[in-house]
Amino acid sequence: MAQESVPYTVRPPVPLQVGDVKTEISRPGVYVIDVTFPKYQPVDVEEITFKNYYTAFLTVKIQQKRPSETVACPAVWHTCIRNLRLMPNPHTEEGSQDYVSLQRHQMLCDTDHVISLRLILRQPSPVWLNFNLEELQINPTKKQSPQKRVSCWLSHLPQEEQLQNLHKGLPDPDKVSSEVQQMWVLTEMMRANQSTASIGRFDVDGCYDINLLSYT
């Protein structure tokens, strides 16, 4: 099952001119694309995926807004991907339309509480007139369910604490043992009373009844 991407807004690419802007051969060798989230809601970024379209090098910068920071604090740009080579040779087709996945562990900085991204695309080759990134997806970090967090917490407890949690709610074994002994004593007393009542010809001391002896 594919992971759900975070909704975002992409601003139009801003070209940075390479060469003399007065000549016909001038062309933008760099594009800057800003990506923002709705209402600047912070996102914990786990993965960035896209399909390349003739971009040779990619740099990714992020702005973060942590809960401890006030509104007045200016958001600073941090570089999390620097000059990643997407095409082995900018002048050839290889890698020009590959699918790329950038995982959290590959990034140069922490990617929590991200409010915006800046993608800097470079293509130094004059062979390609246009270059871009397509099918951009920004996937957030998966949140653990409460049950999974409790299970994970229990797995890190010492063995004795795990046993205490497993036995929680069960009766005290010492109390159960004492009650079983009391039940056994009562049972034995009832058996003794029944045996005495069924003898008939014998008294409590086990002697024959005097009247029966004289009759015989």
Side-chain angles (χ1 to χ4, degrees):
M1 184 175 179
Q3 187 173 356
E4 185 177 355
S5 177
V6 175
Y8 59 84
T9 301
V10 180
R11 296 178 182 175
V14 177
L16 300 182
Q17 204 72 25
V18 176
D20 188 357
V21 296
K22 296 181 180 180
T23 66
E24 294 182 355
I25 62 173
S26 65
R27 52 175 295 278
V30 179
Y31 279 118
V32 178
I33 302 174
D34 283 347
V35 180
T36 58
F37 302 114
K39 299 181 180 179
Y40 287 89
Q41 186 69 27
V43 175
D44 296 343
V45 177
E46 178 68 25
E47 180 187 29
I48 302 173
T49 65
F50 57 86
K51 181 183 179 182
N52 188 24
Y53 186 78
Y54 294 94
T55 298
F57 300 93
L58 173 66
T59 294
V60 180
K61 294 178 177 288
I62 60 173
Q63 278 185 324
Q64 296 167 296
K65 200 71 173 181
R66 302 184 183 279
S68 58
E69 297 177 349
T70 62
V71 179
C73 294
V76 180
W77 288 103
H78 301 279
T79 301
C80 60
I81 297 292
R82 188 189 304 275
N83 291 330
L84 176 66
R85 182 183 289 271
L86 302 179
M87 298 173 62
N89 186 344
H91 304 286
T92 64
E93 288 272 356
E94 185 180 359
S96 61
Q97 300 186 58
D98 286 352
Y99 283 90
V100 179
S101 172
L102 303 177
Q103 301 288 334
R104 183 186 182 96
H105 64 84
Q106 297 176 272
M107 303 189 187
L108 301 176
C109 64
D110 173 47
T111 55
D112 288 338
H113 311 291
V114 177
I115 57 173
S116 60
L117 292 88
R118 175 165 291 172
L119 310 176
I120 304 174
L121 289 55
R122 289 199 302 118
Q123 177 50 273
S125 175
V127 177
W128 321 112
L129 297 179
N130 299 305
F131 58 95
N132 204 340
L133 300 181
E134 300 176 343
E135 303 179 27
L136 178 66
Q137 286 192 346
I138 301 170
N139 299 325
T141 302
K142 293 182 178 179
K143 301 297 183 181
Q144 289 184 334
S145 64
Q147 289 184 350
K148 189 173 182 180
R149 286 198 297 266
V150 170
S151 176
C152 181
W153 173 74
L154 286 175
S155 66
H156 289 83
L157 288 176
Q159 189 67 24
E160 183 177 351
E161 293 185 39
Q162 290 189 42
L163 291 175
Q164 289 177 359
N165 280 276
L166 290 174
H167 292 161
K168 188 176 293 183
L170 295 177
D172 183 13
D174 294 335
K175 184 178 179 181
V176 172
S177 176
S178 176
E179 292 178 352
V180 170
Q181 289 179 354
Q182 292 178 15
M183 291 178 64
W184 180 82
V185 171
L186 290 174
T187 303
E188 291 299 315
M189 291 177 63
M190 291 177 64
R191 286 180 179 176
N193 291 336
Q194 290 176 356
S195 298
T196 304
S198 62
I199 290 175
R201 287 176 172 266
F202 297 87
D203 59 12
V204 176
D205 295 330
C207 300
Y208 283 99
D209 185 58
I210 298 176
N211 293 328
L212 291 175
L213 288 174
S214 61
Y215 175 78
T216 56

